[in-house]
Amino acid sequence: DAAGVEPEPISAQSQSVSGSECDRIQDQSWPGPAAAHEPETPDRTGTRTSRTHSEMEMPGRLQPPPPPPPPPQRSGTMKRRRWGGLRQQWKLLGLFEIDQQHEFYGLTCRMKEGLAAAIHTSTHTPPVNDLSDDDFRSKVTQVHKDFSLETFGGPVFAALRASLGITEDEYLQSLCSESCYLQFISNSKSKADFFLTNDKRFFLKTQNKREIKFLLSNLKIYVEHLRKFPHSLLVKFLGVHRIRIPPGRKKYFIVMQSVFYPDERINARSGSVLVPVGYDIKGCQVSRWTDPAPEGSQIIVVLKDLNFEGQFITLERQRSWLVQQVEIDTGFLERLNVLDYSLLLAHQPLHHDERNQNLSFASLIVRTKKSVNPGSSPIHAEVPGAVMNDDAGPSPEPDSGLTSSRDPDDSTRTSPRPAGSDADSPDDFRTQNRRLLPNLKNPLHVIDGPEQRYFIGIIDVFTVYGLKKRLEHLWKSLRHHGRSFSTVSPQEYSRRLQHWVQNHTD
């Protein structure tokens, strides 16, 4: 079963035949025009055999061994092992449509059905302006024919989606359309399964119970961070769910906004390449090189720190904004005692019409409204309880354009305004480190420089610096003496990534 549940035994009379099984049967039962059989004759042992005319004409020819018996019906586990073996053997990397022959087809169909019902519920419940503690603890279970889906913190994520400008109808259409999901397979060491909606707007990623518990326990301060810094580069979580499939299978998964969306221009500019060349940056050296894919190949390889050496993120006046926002976001993760997160980075040349559009007066008006309207960026709903009041960041450089030096005491003036109100005051604008956003559907992760469009986000924020990571740090310190590696304290990790951004931007 594609959902990971062991299938029930199927009788030989009713057993369905897969594509590979059809090929095997066809090879055995279609001899071709030169292999017409004559009547069977007994051999010396009394066994009746048949020979083709071509075999009779060449009596000295060695005969091939008899075909092997048909293989037994593969279980779901054997099917997964076979797919995993082929994937390892062929080094498959890229996007693959999850069609009816795919191992995850059944699982993704159930995900779509469950998400459709969950989103339908939130569609008829307007997002709340004041989130309560009960909203953060909310858990709703919806039972379907052969599975159930649990939704955690539904009102919170519905409010977050609304603040990002994602309507429930858009969310439903993308996640639950008739088009198949795509499976994303990369050279990442993660054991999670990655699915991408067919329009490539949202990622669905399986998570373990510990990671989900960590996210939900810190959901309130995550939302508060996005409220205080609406243009944060942190990955945007849009939903947390658990699917249960009898008799006892269950999977946790999250829905995230893709950093690499939209990609229409990427497809047009890059031929067969489906997504931009991406870099996974951790700010260290050990194991931070990946062999690039062959030129012209459709294989998707996520490159690393050492692959980026010699290049720069050229933003000019927006450089100081990026440096400051990375410091703010990594400082937040440091306080959560988190490490091993990545700065996901990609870039593509700006198209001629995109450069002109960014300079037009009409575009500037739209971008300014998008940048200052509380309803256009997360999150303007009140969050219960005062949390994380020490988020004041460093002063930006003089050439930042829209941002200027900040007073640490200004953090008390970040209370949100209702959607549809007038633009925030200049003090709020500076304190929240806002910037002039591009007029795109995913503006928070897109930064346009003079020549390049950059896609930037901070992802993989679930690794806590506990006992296991402390022991790993000790072991790597002995093995890689004098070299930088990923497993260090959260303080060192955030400081190192900040320095990487400072040293690779201009």
Side-chain angles (χ1 to χ4, degrees):
D1 181 19
V5 183
E6 298 294 337
E8 298 178 359
I10 303 176
S11 63
Q13 290 79 8
S14 62
Q15 179 177 337
S16 61
V17 182
S18 65
S20 58
E21 187 72 0
C22 289
D23 294 340
R24 185 187 62 76
I25 295 173
Q26 185 179 25
D27 291 340
Q28 295 179 6
S29 61
W30 186 257
H37 287 272
E38 71 172 356
E40 297 178 347
T41 57
D43 60 11
R44 293 181 181 178
T45 62
T47 304
R48 300 187 66 83
T49 62
S50 62
R51 295 194 301 171
T52 65
H53 289 304
S54 58
E55 291 171 353
M56 294 173 62
E57 293 170 359
M58 294 185 293
R61 179 181 176 182
L62 294 176
Q63 301 303 313
Q73 175 71 18
R74 285 190 170 91
S75 66
T77 302
M78 294 179 65
K79 186 176 182 180
R80 288 193 298 274
R81 288 176 180 172
R82 179 177 179 272
W83 172 253
L86 291 176
R87 190 169 68 189
Q88 181 67 23
Q89 177 183 350
W90 298 339
K91 299 186 182 300
L92 294 179
L93 300 173
L95 294 174
F96 300 89
E97 190 173 74
I98 303 178
D99 57 17
Q100 295 185 14
Q101 305 302 319
H102 197 283
E103 61 169 333
F104 289 128
Y105 181 74
L107 173 62
T108 55
C109 285
R110 291 180 175 93
M111 285 174 136
K112 283 185 180 182
E113 182 182 342
L115 288 171
I119 299 170
H120 180 77
T121 300
S122 62
T123 301
H124 294 82
T125 306
V128 295
N129 288 327
D130 297 321
L131 297 172
S132 67
D133 289 331
D134 289 339
D135 292 326
F136 284 89
R137 292 191 296 262
S138 169
K139 183 177 77 170
V140 176
T141 301
Q142 294 173 303
V143 180
H144 299 264
K145 181 179 179 181
D146 57 350
F147 72 96
S148 63
L149 185 80
E150 294 169 275
T151 300
F152 301 92
V156 179
F157 290 109
L160 179 55
R161 294 193 296 268
S163 69
L164 289 165
I166 302 172
T167 68
E168 294 301 279
D169 287 339
E170 286 178 316
Y171 194 57
L172 176 67
Q173 176 60 32
S174 183
L175 284 173
C176 307
S177 69
E178 295 182 358
S179 301
C180 295
Y181 283 170
L182 306 173
Q183 183 184 17
F184 176 60
I185 304 175
S186 74
N187 52 314
S188 169
K189 295 181 180 179
S190 173
K191 296 180 181 180
D193 297 311
F194 294 86
F195 308 126
L196 192 62
T197 56
N198 202 269
D199 60 3
K200 308 188 190 79
R201 187 172 185 179
F202 303 115
F203 263 105
L204 297 90
K205 180 185 178 185
T206 61
Q207 305 278 171
N208 61 42
K209 184 177 181 179
R210 180 196 63 79
E211 294 167 335
I212 294 296
K213 184 177 180 180
F214 174 80
L215 173 58
L216 294 177
S217 63
N218 291 287
L219 182 58
K220 184 182 296 186
I221 57 177
Y222 167 77
V223 169
E224 175 70 2
H225 179 77
L226 296 185
R227 182 189 67 81
K228 296 177 73 172
F229 301 101
H231 296 176
S232 169
L233 294 172
L234 291 179
V235 60
K236 306 304 182 294
F237 298 112
L238 306 177
V240 177
H241 306 273
R242 175 170 60 186
I243 187 170
R244 292 178 178 268
I245 306 171
R249 306 286 293 185
K250 61 184 178 182
K251 279 185 181 290
Y252 291 91
F253 67 94
I254 58 176
V255 183
M256 304 175 290
Q257 191 170 29
S258 173
V259 174
F260 288 166
Y261 180 84
D263 68 344
E264 293 89 352
R265 287 294 192 184
I266 295 170
N267 288 336
R269 288 194 295 262
S270 305
S272 61
V273 179
L274 296 175
V275 297
V277 175
Y279 295 86
D280 182 289
I281 304 297
K282 293 183 182 291
C284 58
Q285 299 172 329
V286 175
S287 301
R288 302 307 298 166
W289 169 267
T290 295
D291 292 331
E295 188 172 351
S297 170
Q298 295 189 22
I299 291 177
I300 300 173
V301 176
V302 179
L303 304 178
K304 300 181 181 179
D305 300 63
L306 298 180
N307 298 94
F308 195 81
E309 286 305 308
Q311 303 182 61
F312 290 90
I313 304 172
T314 302
L315 297 174
E316 294 186 350
R317 297 194 66 184
Q318 292 203 77
R319 174 188 182 272
S320 60
W321 176 88
L322 176 64
V323 170
Q324 181 171 342
Q325 192 59 52
V326 169
E327 291 181 3
I328 292 171
D329 289 334
T330 57
F332 169 74
L333 296 175
E334 177 185 330
R335 290 187 289 277
L336 289 182
N337 201 34
V338 167
L339 73 157
D340 215 24
Y341 45 88
S342 299
L343 184 77
L344 189 63
L345 167 67
H347 60 87
Q348 288 290 335
L350 273 176
H351 198 270
H352 179 70
D353 63 346
E354 292 169 335
R355 298 183 193 180
N356 293 339
Q357 183 185 53
N358 288 340
L359 297 176
S360 70
F361 182 71
S363 176
L364 287 175
I365 294 176
V366 173
R367 293 171 63 195
T368 302
K369 183 177 180 181
K370 182 185 291 287
S371 302
V372 301
N373 183 3
S376 68
S377 54
I379 185 169
H380 55 275
E382 288 282 5
V383 179
V387 293
M388 309 297 285
N389 287 326
D390 57 345
D391 282 344
S395 299
E397 297 179 4
D399 65 345
S400 60
L402 289 174
T403 58
S404 62
S405 61
R406 57 180 21 222
D407 181 353
D409 293 335
D410 284 345
S411 61
T412 61
R413 290 181 286 175
T414 58
S415 57
R417 288 171 166 77
S421 65
D422 294 336
D424 287 1
S425 70
D427 286 338
D428 285 337
F429 201 91
R430 290 191 297 267
T431 301
Q432 296 175 349
N433 195 41
R434 295 182 185 241
R435 63 185 172 98
L436 189 61
L437 297 173
N439 187 23
L440 299 170
K441 289 186 177 181
N442 183 27
L444 298 178
H445 293 292
V446 178
I447 308 175
D448 286 345
E451 303 290 337
Q452 299 278 330
R453 168 164 291 172
Y454 297 92
F455 300 80
I456 302 176
I458 297 176
I459 63 170
D460 298 337
V461 297
F462 295 108
T463 304
V464 177
Y465 193 55
L467 177 60
K468 181 179 178 180
K469 286 297 176 182
R470 293 174 188 273
L471 294 176
E472 184 179 336
H473 168 73
L474 178 61
W475 177 75
K476 288 186 176 180
S477 299
L478 299 174
R479 183 179 181 185
H480 304 293
H481 181 69
R483 301 179 65 195
S484 59
F485 48 86
S486 62
T487 311
V488 294
S489 70
Q491 296 77 17
E492 172 65 17
Y493 197 94
S494 64
R495 182 192 64 81
R496 192 171 61 189
L497 190 58
Q498 293 168 15
H499 286 177
W500 187 96
V501 173
Q502 293 171 5
N503 295 332
H504 290 82
T505 53
D506 58 16

